[in-house]
Each structure stands twice: as structure tokens, then as C-alpha cells.
């Protein structure tokens, strides 16, 4: 694959100092809070204590999940791994600036990152330790665990809060979490009102590489799987997912294990032709075309550009389109 520091204490101290010296002319050093007064100390996903002089403004992101969170928080990253790929796969939270492409998500260019002179680098724990070590020599780094199959939604929220703390955007993070909770609640209510509560549902993606088709079931341990369950949908997959992303593996024959009445949904991308086997190679496949849910037209291709491993904004977009697809 794929804090705000209150300034009240500073202001009060300055006022007392002015009163005691009997002047209304502030000293130059007291004209504004010193940067160290806004210093931030936090602990990242690797357990490393990271110290920042103040809320980070020039930030580099090495993984799309973290980039989406930054943009959602109102922080436009100066450097992003695989900018073209992000724009292709994450249209729910588009980049608002023109960040420098720092290379691939698995192998960022250290020279490019260093040239940007960032205040902070947000790196996924998927990045090799050796690369993270090199990045720490350039600027402060917070490692973020991109996924956790034991608590997908909780991990997403932890990541949002960690990045918000580092960038001084905790108030905005609170708004994002509130909006997301509202979307989940309203989505679940809409499906229940339509009599779809408890509907068997299976989400997957797939790839056709050199005529070899691989399908990835999104189990209950995936972020999308966890969202589906919050919506009141029953995950129909019986395969086991990995410990981080909750992704399983199967082939077209494995789809015969799904219930006959399942609703099947997937996301492809017209910008990546290898990601659309359901409308490509499988369209004439005898196993695929014989599946009961295919015959009953219970297959839903969701819109391109919803990053399946994103943050609250991508998941809100996902909820909206799933509810729309199932209720129309």
C-alpha cells in the first residue's frame, strides 16, 4: 500500500510589571510573548518525546493519511509524498496549495525535505526506521500510526489530536470530531429509516496487475469496516484482516462465500486503470457474473477520490455516498 498555550498568564505578568515600574512604555522584550513561552512537548506513536519551539507551521507529510489530517486542520503542508497520487486518490480533502513533492511514500527524498527547512515532519510508522532516523536529523519528527485494526476509529482520532497538538489547532480538531460524530449518527438513522439496519455489506477494492487479479476485503478491523458497523451495517466478510489495516486477501472464487443478499461496494480510480478490475477483467468472468449479488444488481461502485485510509473528512464523504447508494 495504499495546543494552544494560553497567553493570559503572560499578559497578567506584563501588566503587573508595568504597574510596578510606573510607566506605560513596554520594554521591547515584553512587546510580544517569547517563542519559548509557546513551546510544545508531546509524545508520538513511537513513544518518542518531541519538543517544538511553538506550533508548527512549515510541515512536511510523508503519508496521505497524515497529509489529509493536516489539510483538514487548516495546515497546508509545504512538502507531500507523491503529490500526484494524493490528488488522484484523495479528492475529498484536496490540497489547497502547491506543496513540494518529496518523493514516494515509502522513500522520501532527504535532500528535498531538508531544502524545505520544515518546522515539523509528520511521518507514518509504516516508514522504515532508518528513514525516520534520517528525518530526525533534519527537523523534529512525530511518528503517527496510520492504522490499528483493534481500534480503527480510535486510532484515527488519536492521530488527529496528535497533529492538532503539534500545530496549535486543537479547537479545529474538536470541530472535526463533532462533525464526524454527527455524520455517523445521521447516516445510521437514514439507513434505519430505510429498513436497512443490519444489512449484510461487503466492501473491497481490487487490482489487475499483469492479468493477475487480487481482491482486498475490508474486514471489521479496517477503518471503512468500523464506519460501516457504526452505520448499522453487518460486515459480511469472514476472512481475517491484517493487524494494522484490517485488510484481507481473496480472489474472485472467494466472493462465492458472501451471502446471496449481500450489498457489495468498492472504490476504484479511473486515474489508475489497475484499480478497476470489477468493470474491467471481471466484467466477463463467469464466476463474477454468476454471483447472486451481481445478478441482482447489488454492486455499488462508489465515487473516485475517497481515500479509504484517510481521516474524518474522507470517512464523512464515504458515509454520505454509501447512504445515498443504499437508499436510492
Amino acid at each position: 500500500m495504499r495546543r494552544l498555550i494560553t497567553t493570559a498568564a503572560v499578559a497578567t505578568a506584563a501588566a503587573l510589571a508595568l504597574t510596578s515600574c510606573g510607566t506605560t512604555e513596554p520594554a521591547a522584550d515584553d512587546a510580544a510573548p517569547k517563542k519559548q513561552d509557546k513551546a510544545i512537548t508531546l509524545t508520538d506513536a513511537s513513544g518518542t518525546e518531541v519538543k517544538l519551539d511553538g506550533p508548527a507551521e512549515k510541515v512536511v507529510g510523508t503519508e496521505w493519511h497524515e497529509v489529509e489530517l493536516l489539510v483538514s486542520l487548516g495546515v497546508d503542508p509545504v512538502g507531500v509524498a507523491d503529490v500526484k497520487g494524493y490528488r488522484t486518490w484523495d479528492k475529498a480533502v484536496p490540497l489547497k496549495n502547491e506543496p513540494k513533492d518529496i518523493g514516494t511514500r515509502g522513500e522520501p527524498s532527504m535532500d528535498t525535505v531538508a531544502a524545505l527547512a520544515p518546522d515539523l515532519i509528520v511521518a507514518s510508522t509504516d516508514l522504515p526506521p532508518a528513514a525516520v532516523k534520517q528525518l530526525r536529523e533534519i527537523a523534529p519528527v512525530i511518528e503517527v500510526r496510520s492504522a490499528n485494526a483493534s481500534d480503527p476509529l480510535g486510532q484515527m482520532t488519536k492521530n488527529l489530536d496528535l497533529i492538532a497538538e503539534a500545530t496549535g489547532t486543537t479547537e479545529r480538531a474538536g470541530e472535526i470530531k463533532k462533525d464526524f460524530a454527527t455524520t455517523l449518527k445521521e447516516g445510521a438513522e437514514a439507513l434505519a429509516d430505510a429498513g436497512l439496519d443490519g444489512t449484510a455489506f461487503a466492501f473491497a477494492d481490487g487490482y489487475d496487475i499483469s492479468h493477475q487479479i487480487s481482491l482486498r476485503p475490508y474486514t471489521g478491523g479496517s477503518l471503512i469496516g468500523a464506519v460501516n458497523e457504526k452505520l448499522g451495517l453487518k460486515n459480511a466478510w469472514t476472512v481475517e484482516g491484517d493487524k494494522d489495516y484490517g485488510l484481507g486477501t481473496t480472489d474472485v472464487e472467494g466472493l462465492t462465500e458472501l451471502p446471496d443478499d449481500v450489498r457489495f461496494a468498492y472504490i476504484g480510480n479511473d486515474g489508475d486503470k489497475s484499480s478497476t478490475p470489477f468493470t474491467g477483467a471481471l466484467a466477463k468472468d463467469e464466476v463474477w457474473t454468476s454471483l447472486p449479488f451481481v445478478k441482482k444488481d447489488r454492486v455499488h461502485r462508489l465515487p473516485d477520490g475517497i481515500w479509504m485510509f484517510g481521516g474524518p473528512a474522507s470517512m464523512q464523504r464515504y458515509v454520505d455516498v454509501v447512504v445515498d447508494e443504499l437508499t436510492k
Side-chain angles (χ1 to χ4, degrees):
M1 310 215 336
R2 8 236 126 36
R3 274 94 183 146
L4 297 176
I5 302 298
T6 59
T7 56
V10 177
T12 301
L16 290 174
L18 292 176
T19 302
S20 63
C21 66
T23 178
T24 58
E25 295 293 329
D29 289 344
D30 294 330
K34 296 178 181 179
K35 191 167 185 179
Q36 56 262 40
D37 292 335
K38 297 183 180 180
I40 297 170
T41 300
L42 48 80
T43 302
D44 71 6
S46 71
T48 302
E49 184 179 89
V50 180
K51 296 182 179 181
L52 304 173
D53 291 339
E57 297 177 356
K58 294 180 64 179
V59 186
V60 167
T62 71
E63 179 55 74
W64 297 342
H65 171 80
E66 293 80 42
V67 170
E68 178 183 316
L69 294 181
L70 285 166
V71 178
S72 297
L73 289 166
V75 179
D76 295 325
V78 296
V80 170
D82 187 5
V83 172
K84 181 180 179 181
Y86 182 91
R87 289 191 169 122
T88 298
W89 284 97
D90 199 335
K91 295 179 181 177
V93 189
L95 296 170
K96 298 177 182 178
N97 63 333
E98 295 294 332
K100 184 71 173 178
D101 193 313
I102 63 167
T104 67
R105 291 182 287 157
E107 191 175 353
S109 165
M110 300 301 164
D111 289 341
T112 303
V113 174
L116 292 170
D119 300 328
L120 174 69
I121 301 168
V122 183
S124 166
T125 51
D126 292 342
L127 204 61
V132 175
K133 183 179 179 181
Q134 287 182 278
L135 290 172
R136 291 192 189 280
E137 295 173 358
I138 296 171
V141 175
I142 56 171
E143 285 191 83
V144 172
R145 181 172 178 176
S146 292
N148 179 0
S150 66
D151 186 11
L153 290 171
Q155 188 63 54
M156 179 186 72
T157 299
K158 285 181 182 179
N159 295 346
L160 178 70
D161 288 340
L162 178 64
I163 294 175
E165 182 181 4
T167 56
T169 56
T170 53
E171 183 175 348
R172 174 58 185 150
E175 295 170 356
I176 291 171
K177 289 184 286 186
K178 183 178 179 180
D179 289 346
F180 179 58
T182 298
T183 298
L184 281 179
K185 180 175 181 293
E186 292 177 348
E189 290 173 350
L191 292 178
D193 289 345
L196 295 169
D197 185 42
T199 295
F201 190 82
F203 181 91
D205 64 11
Y207 293 88
D208 181 359
I209 301 175
S210 300
H211 305 294
Q212 294 294 318
I213 297 174
S214 60
L215 306 179
R216 295 194 303 183
Y218 284 59
T219 72
S222 67
L223 180 58
I224 277 181
V227 169
N228 289 338
E229 291 177 5
K230 287 290 185 181
L231 291 176
L233 300 172
K234 181 181 179 182
N235 199 310
W237 292 114
T238 57
V239 299
E240 185 176 346
D242 71 273
K243 68 181 181 65
D244 291 318
Y245 290 92
L247 299 175
T249 58
T250 190
D251 53 21
V252 66
E253 284 77 13
L255 299 179
T256 61
E257 299 296 322
L258 291 171
D260 291 352
D261 62 346
V262 71
R263 296 293 190 107
F264 185 89
Y266 69 95
I267 289 177
N269 199 296
D270 287 337
D272 181 353
K273 295 302 182 182
S274 69
S275 69
T276 56
F278 301 104
T279 53
L282 290 181
K284 297 181 180 180
D285 183 272
E286 292 183 0
V287 176
W288 170 258
T289 56
S290 67
L291 293 168
F293 59 87
V294 175
K295 287 184 175 181
K296 294 177 183 178
D297 196 24
R298 292 191 170 191
V299 177
H300 309 272
R301 176 175 177 173
L302 305 185
D304 292 8
I306 303 173
W307 185 227
M308 297 84 79
F309 314 100
S314 275
M315 292 302 101
Q316 282 181 270
R317 174 63 177 149
Y318 173 79
V319 169
D320 289 342
V321 299
V322 166
V323 171
D324 181 62
E325 278 289 317
L326 296 185
T327 58
K328 68 182 181 181

